[in-house]
Amino acid sequence: MKTTNFKRFEDLEEKYFGDKGTQERDEYEFDLKMELIGEKIKQLRIENHMTQTQLGELIGVKRAQISKLERGNHSASVSTIVKVFHAMKANVKLKIETVDKIEYAY
């Protein structure tokens, strides 16, 4: 069995998901971020002793939508994600970075 010695995690990412700036890599990084957001939503919901149904009722969506969010579903709007975090007393900052400056939207 042939093994390849990778020295950095970035080497694996480039091999399996493409170089930074490519569409394939951008999609991978977006999916990863959505999964991390979903995990955080689930973690906070459990810490707040809420079911998915209770959280959904609190922000006006069905349990299925909360389930999709927790699994990292791509179709969630930013406003829904912000509502979820606010319902669990968590502050959310959206960082918008352009070439010449960084802005935060709350």
Side-chain angles (χ1 to χ4, degrees), residues 9-26:
F9 179 70
E10 291 81 13
D11 294 337
L12 288 171
E13 285 181 314
E14 288 173 5
K15 178 178 179 180
Y16 293 104
F17 303 108
D19 293 326
K20 283 192 177 211
T22 63
Q23 182 177 351
E24 185 180 28
R25 179 64 173 267
D26 289 346

Side-chain angles (χ1 to χ4, degrees), residues 32-48:
L32 182 59
K33 289 173 186 171
M34 290 304 293
E35 285 181 32
L36 293 173
I37 289 170
E39 283 296 318
K40 192 59 171 177
I41 289 170
K42 183 176 183 178
Q43 176 189 359
L44 286 172
R45 178 182 58 77
I46 291 169
E47 286 176 10
N48 283 284

Side-chain angles (χ1 to χ4, degrees), residues 8-9 15 18-19 28 41 60 65 70 89 94 98:
R8 305 174 306 138
F9 179 70
K15 178 178 179 180
D19 293 326
Y28 157 73
I41 289 170
Q65 180 67 18
E70 290 181 358
K89 310 280 190 270
L94 177 63
T98 60

Side-chain angles (χ1 to χ4, degrees), residues 30 35 39 84 87 91:
F30 178 79
E35 285 181 32
E39 283 296 318
V84 167
N91 291 323

